[in-house]
């Protein structure tokens, strides 16, 4: 139980390091980054995507490693989008959504199709992560 508690805290600590890095790079306080992060998560429903990377740990160590890599990738892309929201729209999620409506609609469509598909969850998560990468490239 003690080890499990320490491992659970590691993810939170990593988020804090990422949050501080985005705040420093954007030149804003951590509160603004927390608000922008919440807006990005709501706008893109990223917790749902992250859940796909945690489902069915599986027997294969390759499957576990693939899920962990996708989870890390989605986190990295999330922080890139938070930084873009702060830089391009000063944290205004509505303005950001309006400015990037086409790219956001494409991501949403792919995420929704993946959510309703019956294919392997790891495959679906991989495709959604790739679309999230494209979104980050578009918003800069």
């Amino acid at each position: 139980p003690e080890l499990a508690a320490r491992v659970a805290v590691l993810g939170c600590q990593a988020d804090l390091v990422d949050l501080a890095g985005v705040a420093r790079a954007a030149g804003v306080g951590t509160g603004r980054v927390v608000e922008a992060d919440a807006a990005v998560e709501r706008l893109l429903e990223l917790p749902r995507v992250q859940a796909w990377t945690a489902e069915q740990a599986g027997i294969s160590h390759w499957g576990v490693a693939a899920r962990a890599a996708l989870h890390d990738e989605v986190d990295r892309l999330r922080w890139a989008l938070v930084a873009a929201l702060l830089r391009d729209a000063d944290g205004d999620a509505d303005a950001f959504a309006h400015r990037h409506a086409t790219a956001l609609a494409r991501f949403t469509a792919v995420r929704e199709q993946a959510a309703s598909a019956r294919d392997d969850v790891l495959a679906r998560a991989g495709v959604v992560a790739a679309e999230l990468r494209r979104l980050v490239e578009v918003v800069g």
Side-chain angles (χ1 to χ4, degrees), residues 56-81:
Q56 305 169 346
I59 297 170
S60 164
H61 68 281
W62 290 109
V64 172
R67 289 174 198 281
L70 279 173
H71 187 86
D72 290 349
E73 176 76 356
V74 171
D75 267 351
R76 186 183 66 74
L77 295 167
R78 178 184 108 216
W79 289 116
L81 287 166

Side-chain angles (χ1 to χ4, degrees), residues 40-61:
V40 166
E41 287 193 349
R42 263 191 321 275
L43 189 62
L44 301 175
E45 296 183 31
L46 291 181
R48 192 164 112 188
V49 174
Q50 285 290 36
W52 295 338
T53 65
E55 288 179 12
Q56 305 169 346
I59 297 170
S60 164
H61 68 281

Side-chain angles (χ1 to χ4, degrees), residues 14-39:
D15 278 351
L16 289 175
V17 170
D18 292 338
L19 184 144
V22 170
R24 185 177 57 250
V28 299
T30 56
R32 296 271 322 275
V33 177
V34 169
E35 291 170 0
D37 182 42

Side-chain angles (χ1 to χ4, degrees), residues 99-112:
R99 184 172 296 141
H100 302 292
T102 302
L104 289 167
R106 178 180 162 137
F107 173 80
T108 300
V110 169
R111 188 198 60 230
E112 291 303 313

Side-chain angles (χ1 to χ4, degrees), residues 83-98:
L85 172 61
L86 289 166
R87 181 186 62 246
D88 296 346
D90 197 32
D92 183 340
D94 291 334
F96 184 80
H98 180 70

